[in-house]
């Protein structure tokens, strides 16, 4: 131990005793106990630190008096501090080897010539005060060495369990030594008490092997008592846990507790089981912290789940993951939130800080959600990359099978993938800003997409539901804005008015105007159950395609999907009810004094007639309307007039158009106007 004597000067125990001289040191250390010095004067170094290789009585300090210490030699010394602060060193004079069973010599065989013999006393606080006027500040919790147990060489599980039971009384750190230690042969399933940290000597230095049934370590509480009460310090730190192929094996389970910490830990190779499991039995799991943790090559690296038949206790709150790395291999899952195999109770990670790097390979899943699993009201970042060995990525980074009840909700932070082939299976970058979301469905690396891609964006909910925002695209064409566009949209149902769904759709640019796959397109389809689904075609040759959007989640029932699909226009199970190229839409334009609200449609009809009609569904005569000839046959004749009544827009050509099938195309717009008070002149 060390104490401050003067600013900038450290007073060590060796320095203190050296300033006192050999006689003074012996007096402080040995006091007046008869026979302690054995009739001779020792050097200061021999007196304090012992001299196992020399003659006389050597001393080897073994730390504080505590249970489960193996005394094998005469010079092994344990120190006991009395209530008055005097520390006395004792050696065991009885039959050896002897394993302590109490935390003081009087209760462990007694004090006497055939039991514990006092060999010195230290009043270090008084000595410091006499010499320099300094005083001791604070204290230290005990360190429990598992190697002190006589059971350690033959039964490491029994040795560790007995030391944990002893440490549970006063807390402290249980130290596991360097080396490879197998718990499989002698059992496992070690329940860890509160106020106790299980600590090794470093990752890859202390290695624990476990391939048995169930957990190696578990923190939990029973029906009435916290295993990890609020504010306690319980942790696993500075070690590695290696698993095997046992389907029932897991490294660490955290259950019904608060404040557990996993620091500087590596878990590897639970190829049929789980690395870390956080689950509820009867109570919440909260305040868990993972820091500098690596979990690799497990069937499921981290699992949030509930035990079968337990009460519905949604929790996992205030979780913190800092510098967590998951190496997810073929067929494995990085983080699983909610396990359908157990039950359909809610599994929620909330108010969390999650900073996770996920290395994916093969047919793996980075983050997967069960039916009722959610990460909500949280922030941080998820980053997904291919493993260092560069295996091809064919899996899914984020897997949400039930978006109505699971997935991310109000997550403030990026989810990024990089250098992944096929990463568009879910998303490339995503940021949920509580109410406003950003999503990029462009390429995950510099370059362009050589073919168009369809995405099922969302399911539109019931009455008064809304999915709205803006989409912006960037292509590799050299001309500015050529086949690029910014489109504002709003999709939803607004009661039972004529026309059903009438999207708002306003385009700036020409990226939605063509029929080929080098143009973007929205399509709205209905399924056999009458639910409406929004699809989007990302154009060919697109560098980036960014959505900025929001939607009403409750109670109307709009849910986003963003999964890559085949064209909905070739799906016989779907009925197209609207598309952005040829269907009518609503729009708003704000001028200096007027707000124009209107709709637009592109009519494709057969040639051979002079007059054509387009239904506007307003129920009254529109206040403004226009028509433009688009096809070559329509332009060859030209429009002579456009009129309207309460039902239709009538387009009259100068003469009969050329006969043909679908050879006449007309763009028609109509709407109403009203005075805009915001811009009204004073």
């Amino acid at each position: 131990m060390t104490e401050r004597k003067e600013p900038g000067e450290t007073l060590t125990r060796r320095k203190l005793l050296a300033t006192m001289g050999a006689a003074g040191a012996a007096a402080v250390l040995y006091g007046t106990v008869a026979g302690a010095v054995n009739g001779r004067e020792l050097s200061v170094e021999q007196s304090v630190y012992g001299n196992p290789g020399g003659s006389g009585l050597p001393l080897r300090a073994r730390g504080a008096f505590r249970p489960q210490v193996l005394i094998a030699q005469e010079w092994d010394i344990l120190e006991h501090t009395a209530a008055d602060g005097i520390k006395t060193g004792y050696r065991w004079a009885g039959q050896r080897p002897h394993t302590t069973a109490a935390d003081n010599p009087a209760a462990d065989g007694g004090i006497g010539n055939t039991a514990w013999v006092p060999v010195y006393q230290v009043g270090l606080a008084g000595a410091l005060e006499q010499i320099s006027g300094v005083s001791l500040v604070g204290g230290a919790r005990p360190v429990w060495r598992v190697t002190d147990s006589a059971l350690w060489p033959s039964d490491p599980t029994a040795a560790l369990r007995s030391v944990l039971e002893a440490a549970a009384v006063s807390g402290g750190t249980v130290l596991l030594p360097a080396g490879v230690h197998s718990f499989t042969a002698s059992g496992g399933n070690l329940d860890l008490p509160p106020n106790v940290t299980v600590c090794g000597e470093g990752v890859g230095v202390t290695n624990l092997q476990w391939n048995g049934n169930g957990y190696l370590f578990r923190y939990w509480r029973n029906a009435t008592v916290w295993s990890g009460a609020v504010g306690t310090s319980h942790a696993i730190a500075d070690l590695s846990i290696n698993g095997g192929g046992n389907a029932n094996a897991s490294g660490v389970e955290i259950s019904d507790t608060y404040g557990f910490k996993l620091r500087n830990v590596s878990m590897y190779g639970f190829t049929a089981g789980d690395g870390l499991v956080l689950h509820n039995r009867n109570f919440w799991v909260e305040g868990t912290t993972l820091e500098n943790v690596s979990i690799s090559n497990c069937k499921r690296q981290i699992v949030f789940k509930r035990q079968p038949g337990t009460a519905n206790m949604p929790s996992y709150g205030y979780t913190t993951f800092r510098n967590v790395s998951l190496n997810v291999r073929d067929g494995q899952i990085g983080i699983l939130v909610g396990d359908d195999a157990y039950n359909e109770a809610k599994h929620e990670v909330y108010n969390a800080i999650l900073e996770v790097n996920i290395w994916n390979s093969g047919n793996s899943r980075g983050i997967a959600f069960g039916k009722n699993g959610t990460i909500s009201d949280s922030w941080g970042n998820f980053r997904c990359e291919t493993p260092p060995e560069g295996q091809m990525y064919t899996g899914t980074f984020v897997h949400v099978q039930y978006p109505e009840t699971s997935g991310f909700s109000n997550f403030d932070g990026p989810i990024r993938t990089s250098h992944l082939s096929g990463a568009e299976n879910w998303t490339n970058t995503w940021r949920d800003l509580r109410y406003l979301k950003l999503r990029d469905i462009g390429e995950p690396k510099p370059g362009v997409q050589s073919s168009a891609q369809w995405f099922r964006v969302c399911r539109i909910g019931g009455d008064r539901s809304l999915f709205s925002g803006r989409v912006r695209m960037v292509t590799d064409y050299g001309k500015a804005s050529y086949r690029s566009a910014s489109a504002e949209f709003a999709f939803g149902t607004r009661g039972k008015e004529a026309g059903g769904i009438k999207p708002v759709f306003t385009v700036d640019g020409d990226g939605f105007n063509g029929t080929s796959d080098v143009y973007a397109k929205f399509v709205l389809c209905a399924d056999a159950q009458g639910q409406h689904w929004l699809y989007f075609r990302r154009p060919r040759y697109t560098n980036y395609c960014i959505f900025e959007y929001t939607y009403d989640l409750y109670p109307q029932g709009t849910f986003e999907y963003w999964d890559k699909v085949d064209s909905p226009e070739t799906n016989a199970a779907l009925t197209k009810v609207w598309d952005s190229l040829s269907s009518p839409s609503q729009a708003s334009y704000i001028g200096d004094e007027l707000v124009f609200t209107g709709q637009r449609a592109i009519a494709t009809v057969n040639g051979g007639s002079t007059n054509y009609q387009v239904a506007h569904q307003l129920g009254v005569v529109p206040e403004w309307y226009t028509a433009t000839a688009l096809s070559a046959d329509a332009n060859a004749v030209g429009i002579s007039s456009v009129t309207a009544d309460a039902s239709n827009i009538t387009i009259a050509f100068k003469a009969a158009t050329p006969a043909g099938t679908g050879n006449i195309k007309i763009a028609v717009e109509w709407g109403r106007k009203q005075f805009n008070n915001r811009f009204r002149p004073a």
Side-chain angles (χ1 to χ4, degrees):
M1 65 177 295
T2 64
E3 287 299 325
R4 287 286 180 186
K5 181 179 180 182
E6 297 283 342
E9 180 183 356
T10 300
L11 181 63
T12 65
R13 184 174 183 178
R14 183 187 295 267
K15 183 182 294 185
L16 165 66
L17 297 174
T19 62
M20 300 173 64
V28 172
L29 291 174
Y30 289 85
T32 58
V33 181
V37 186
N38 205 20
R40 67 181 187 89
E41 183 176 307
L42 302 179
S43 70
V44 173
E45 185 170 345
Q46 290 172 333
S47 299
V48 180
Y49 299 99
N51 182 17
S55 60
L57 178 63
L59 304 177
R60 182 175 68 171
R62 301 295 302 280
F65 210 107
R66 60 197 184 279
Q68 298 297 323
V69 179
L70 177 63
I71 304 298
Q73 303 295 336
E74 182 182 3
W75 53 75
D76 288 342
I77 304 298
L78 294 179
E79 295 179 334
H80 179 260
T81 303
D84 58 4
I86 299 299
K87 182 182 297 182
T88 304
Y90 292 90
R91 67 177 180 85
W92 178 251
Q95 185 176 359
R96 290 181 297 273
H98 170 73
T99 300
T100 59
D103 61 359
N104 66 86
D108 184 59
I111 299 175
N113 293 334
T114 60
W116 289 103
V117 177
V119 293
Y120 63 79
Q121 287 184 337
V122 179
L124 186 55
L128 287 171
E129 187 174 1
Q130 290 177 10
I131 297 170
S132 60
V134 302
S135 59
L136 291 175
V137 178
R141 299 172 68 187
V143 175
W144 308 79
R145 297 176 178 85
V146 179
T147 53
D148 286 340
S149 173
L151 297 172
W152 176 251
S154 61
D155 193 339
T157 301
L160 182 53
R161 182 176 284 114
S162 65
V163 173
L164 288 170
E165 291 173 355
V169 178
S170 58
T173 298
V174 173
L175 181 62
L176 290 163
V180 178
H181 313 294
S182 175
F183 290 86
T184 305
S186 60
N189 307 136
L190 294 158
D191 287 332
L192 305 180
N195 298 309
V196 172
T197 296
V198 174
C199 185
E201 296 188 29
V203 173
V205 179
T206 298
N207 298 280
L208 312 182
Q209 294 184 337
W210 172 242
N211 194 27
N213 288 323
Y215 55 88
L216 173 59
F217 291 128
R218 179 178 70 174
Y219 275 106
W220 76 298
R221 66 168 178 169
N222 60 28
T224 58
V225 181
W226 280 99
S227 167
V230 176
T232 61
S233 175
H234 47 306
I236 298 175
D238 301 317
L239 51 80
S240 299
I241 300 176
N242 300 324
N246 189 335
N248 298 318
S250 60
V252 177
E253 289 191 9
I254 310 304
S255 175
D256 299 350
T257 190
Y258 183 96
F260 165 77
K261 298 176 180 63
L262 198 69
R263 295 193 305 265
N264 306 327
V265 170
S266 169
M267 282 187 275
Y268 177 86
F270 288 91
T271 54
D274 303 324
L276 172 65
V277 178
L278 294 96
H279 62 70
N280 298 336
R281 293 170 179 263
N282 303 294
F283 300 93
W284 290 13
V285 176
E286 289 193 334
T288 303
T289 299
L290 274 66
E291 190 169 15
N292 301 329
V293 171
S294 172
I295 306 179
S296 304
N297 197 24
C298 302
K299 183 179 180 181
R300 304 185 299 190
Q301 325 295 315
I302 300 175
V303 182
F304 295 89
K305 71 178 184 182
R306 189 180 315 282
Q307 290 289 65
T310 54
N312 184 6
M313 294 289 294
S315 62
Y316 315 114
Y318 310 99
T319 304
T320 301
F321 288 6
R322 289 194 177 97
N323 192 25
V324 175
S325 177
L326 308 178
N327 194 327
V328 189
R329 304 190 179 185
D330 191 25
Q332 298 175 352
I333 297 175
I335 298 177
L336 177 62
V337 183
D339 189 345
D340 294 345
Y342 283 74
N343 56 36
E344 295 185 359
K346 189 175 182 180
H347 304 76
E348 182 181 27
V349 181
Y350 66 94
N351 288 345
I353 302 172
L354 304 171
E355 300 174 357
V356 184
N357 294 319
I358 300 178
W359 301 83
N360 283 56
S361 68
N363 187 26
S364 59
R365 295 176 180 176
I367 310 167
F369 292 89
K371 188 168 185 179
N372 292 287
T374 59
I375 295 177
S376 65
D377 299 314
S378 302
W379 67 276
N381 67 80
F382 288 92
R383 181 177 178 86
C384 181
E385 298 187 8
T386 51
E389 56 266 29
Q391 298 183 33
M392 180 62 67
Y393 175 79
T394 57
T396 304
F397 180 27
V398 179
H399 180 79
V400 184
Q401 187 173 356
Y402 308 96
E404 292 89 346
T405 60
S406 62
F408 290 92
S409 173
N410 291 343
F411 184 80
D412 187 3
I415 294 182
R416 292 195 177 98
T417 60
S418 62
H419 311 297
L420 298 180
S421 174
E424 70 281 351
N425 283 352
W426 197 69
T427 80
N428 298 314
T429 61
W430 174 56
R431 185 173 181 84
D432 181 343
L433 301 175
R434 303 287 174 174
Y435 302 105
L436 180 65
K437 299 185 177 184
L438 296 176
R439 192 179 299 270
D440 176 17
I441 58 171
E443 278 290 275
K445 55 186 177 182
V448 294
Q449 183 66 38
S450 58
S451 61
Q453 295 175 335
W454 280 97
F455 290 86
R456 183 175 63 160
V457 176
C458 69
R459 190 191 76 193
I460 303 297
D463 191 22
R464 294 181 299 277
S465 179
L466 186 65
F467 181 89
S468 62
R470 171 181 293 186
V471 57
R472 288 168 290 178
M473 299 176 296
V474 177
T475 70
D476 68 338
Y477 286 94
K479 294 182 180 180
S481 80
Y482 183 67
R483 288 183 186 168
S484 296
S486 173
E488 294 187 4
F489 57 82
F491 298 94
T493 56
R494 301 167 183 82
K496 308 299 182 183
E497 73 272 17
I501 296 178
K502 296 185 201 174
V504 172
F505 190 71
T506 305
V507 177
D508 179 12
D510 54 3
F512 285 82
N513 295 337
T515 59
S516 70
D517 64 0
V518 296
Y519 293 93
K521 189 175 185 179
F522 279 108
V523 171
L524 195 60
C525 296
D527 61 17
Q529 290 73 40
Q531 295 183 334
H532 290 86
W533 301 85
L534 178 64
Y535 294 84
F536 176 76
R537 181 176 68 193
R538 173 192 163 197
R540 187 159 37 119
Y541 310 132
T542 306
N543 289 86
Y544 301 100
C545 192
I546 300 172
F547 280 79
E548 179 181 339
Y549 63 100
T550 186
Y551 63 94
D552 297 326
L553 181 60
Y554 300 108
Q556 293 84 0
T558 292
F559 298 98
E560 56 184 323
Y561 282 76
W562 300 102
D563 46 355
K564 183 182 167 187
V565 296
D566 295 329
S567 171
E569 298 179 313
T570 60
N571 189 338
L574 298 174
T575 302
K576 184 169 71 172
V577 298
W578 182 92
D579 70 63
S580 58
L581 183 62
S582 58
S583 300
S585 63
Q586 303 175 77
S588 297
Y589 308 92
I590 299 179
D592 288 341
E593 296 184 14
L594 297 178
V595 175
F596 296 90
T597 61
Q599 301 180 47
R600 177 179 183 268
I602 297 178
T604 302
V605 295
N606 297 331
S609 299
T610 302
N611 295 329
Y612 297 92
Q613 291 185 332
V614 176
H616 57 67
Q617 299 177 338
L618 289 179
V620 296
V621 178
E623 294 179 316
W624 64 272
Y625 42 87
T626 63
T628 305
L630 295 182
S631 63
D633 284 350
N635 275 300
V637 178
I639 297 174
S640 63
S641 65
V642 181
T643 59
D645 57 24
S647 301
N648 300 300
I649 308 292
T650 300
I651 301 96
F653 281 82
K654 298 175 182 178
T657 58
T661 301
N663 62 319
I664 303 301
K665 183 176 290 188
I666 314 165
V668 185
E669 294 182 78
W670 65 93
R672 302 174 182 176
K673 59 185 177 180
Q674 64 186 48
F675 200 82
N676 183 7
N677 289 324
R678 290 185 301 160
F679 298 96
R680 184 171 185 172

